Amino acid sequence: MTISTIGFIGLGVMGEAMCRNLARKGTWKVIAFDQRQEPLERLKADNVGIATSLRGLAQAADVILMCLPGGREVEIVTQGASGLVALMRTGQTLVDMSTAPPALMRKLAADLAAKGADFADAPIARTRRAAVDGTLSIMVGGSAEVFARIKPVLETMGNEITHCGEVGAGQVVKIMNNMVVFETTMAVAEALSIAEASGVDGKLLLETMSKGSADSFVLRNHGMKHLLPQDYPEGAFSVRYAQKDLSYARELAKAAGIKARGADLVATLFDEAIMAGDGERYTPVIRKVMKDEGGA
């Protein structure tokens, strides 16, 4: 199937940059929908059209991409008489690039299949900088046929496109990725707090660890750029978003009969950070909870 028009829903921290790359690098027409006018206005410079409603976007697009905060928002956009499931038609493809529960992905796939439409989940990983540069890691769940159809689209936004299995598999991989990031952030924050309280320079600690077996993306990015200077901006991947993603991991663990003790502990730290008023700050802010409890 030739793709002539792509619709993009959700122009947040990641979505706006992704939509821009989609328009700049692709050969198709791009139209976007968001509740906020500001990102839509900015994207006009890249010839992105504005859809004034979900119905208008669904009528115009061959492929529709969603990049939303989570499962609740995906349900709002897709369900009901005015949702995408009701609006889409035979031959169209819906791709969810949000992070959402795998069970919801499978339900959407079944509902759309009944209408002759296709579905894939394709959640994203890496930073906002990667979204701007078009170097995201994208994990796809869907049939081989759908994956082949949407891969050229995804390649405008990411440089690592992985077919993880059937619908829902992309979300499982993404959720596990985030769980490991959160638990590693906790470990690096603990190590840094303990070392500094014990008289060791934190910068020296992280630089030395980065040369050994404790090295990781989290250590070099979350650790050196945020935990070390204790810089926890708003507008980045917040504790509240992280807690949402972690809840999906814990639900998967419960369903599988796995005691995810590390995830449970991080969830407690997230709760404490939220109660301390830091829920909108970048996830490494959990170090403050350790400091408040007597660490460095």
Side-chain angles (χ1 to χ4, degrees):
M1 182 190 78
T2 301
I3 299 173
S4 60
T5 303
I6 297 177
F8 198 103
I9 302 169
L11 304 174
V13 172
M14 305 291 274
E16 181 180 345
M18 293 162 62
C19 186
R20 182 170 290 110
N21 280 323
L22 185 67
R24 287 180 177 178
K25 299 178 182 180
T27 58
W28 39 70
K29 179 181 178 181
V30 179
I31 57 175
F33 177 79
D34 195 273
Q35 292 182 330
R36 297 165 304 125
Q37 193 65 27
E38 296 83 1
L40 290 167
E41 290 296 327
R42 289 192 292 267
L43 286 167
K44 282 184 178 179
D46 295 287
N47 296 316
V48 175
I50 297 176
T52 58
S53 66
L54 284 177
R55 181 176 297 276
L57 184 141
Q59 289 175 340
D62 303 304
V63 174
I64 300 173
L65 310 179
M66 299 186 296
C67 187
L68 301 169
R72 183 175 68 87
E73 291 78 10
V74 170
E75 288 186 296
I76 290 171
V77 168
T78 59
Q79 304 301 301
S82 58
L84 287 177
V85 170
L87 296 172
M88 290 181 68
R89 62 187 181 275
T90 298
Q92 288 181 298
T93 303
L94 178 62
V95 182
D96 184 21
M97 304 189 75
S98 320
T99 302
L104 175 58
M105 303 295 98
R106 297 180 186 116
K107 180 182 185 303
L108 285 172
D111 290 345
L112 288 169
K115 301 190 67 175
D118 291 316
F119 178 83
D121 50 294
I124 57 174
R126 295 181 180 156
T127 62
R128 185 180 183 278
R129 183 72 251 173
V132 171
D133 294 340
T135 56
L136 292 167
S137 172
I138 305 176
M139 295 141 279
V140 185
S143 69
E145 179 185 357
V146 173
F147 176 71
R149 184 187 312 150
I150 65 175
K151 188 178 179 184
V153 175
L154 301 180
E155 286 176 333
T156 67
M157 298 173 282
N159 63 353
E160 296 287 350
I161 317 298
T162 306
H163 188 200
C164 300
E166 295 299 317
V167 169
Q171 293 290 0
V172 173
V173 174
K174 168 61 189 296
I175 290 165
M176 292 300 99
N177 175 86
N178 282 16
M179 183 185 76
V180 171
V181 167
F182 303 149
E183 293 185 29
T184 307
T185 300
M186 177 183 68
V188 174
E190 283 185 348
L192 189 56
S193 297
I194 293 168
E196 289 186 341
S198 302
V200 171
D201 178 72
K203 185 171 184 290
L204 180 144
L205 173 77
L206 296 187
E207 288 180 348
T208 304
M209 288 172 63
S210 73
K211 300 171 186 176
S213 55
D215 186 29
S216 69
F217 174 89
V218 170
L219 186 147
R220 285 176 273 109
N221 286 269
H222 299 63
M224 293 181 178
K225 296 178 182 178
H226 297 281
L227 287 168
L228 183 62
Q230 301 191 52
D231 174 36
Y232 316 117
E234 295 188 5
F237 193 84
S238 72
V239 174
R240 290 190 190 277
Y241 275 163
Q243 186 70 298
K244 178 263 300 180
D245 286 6
L246 191 62
S247 73
Y248 300 154
R250 296 171 75 201
E251 289 168 7
L252 286 172
K254 184 177 180 180
I258 304 296
K259 292 183 178 180
R261 293 182 174 90
D264 291 343
L265 179 56
V266 177
T268 299
L269 292 179
F270 286 165
D271 285 340
E272 292 176 6
I274 292 169
M275 288 188 290
D278 290 319
E280 303 308 318
R281 294 192 176 277
Y282 191 32
T283 310
V285 76
I286 58 173
R287 185 184 177 190
K288 285 182 62 180
V289 177
M290 302 173 187
K291 182 177 181 180
D292 291 342
E293 292 177 348

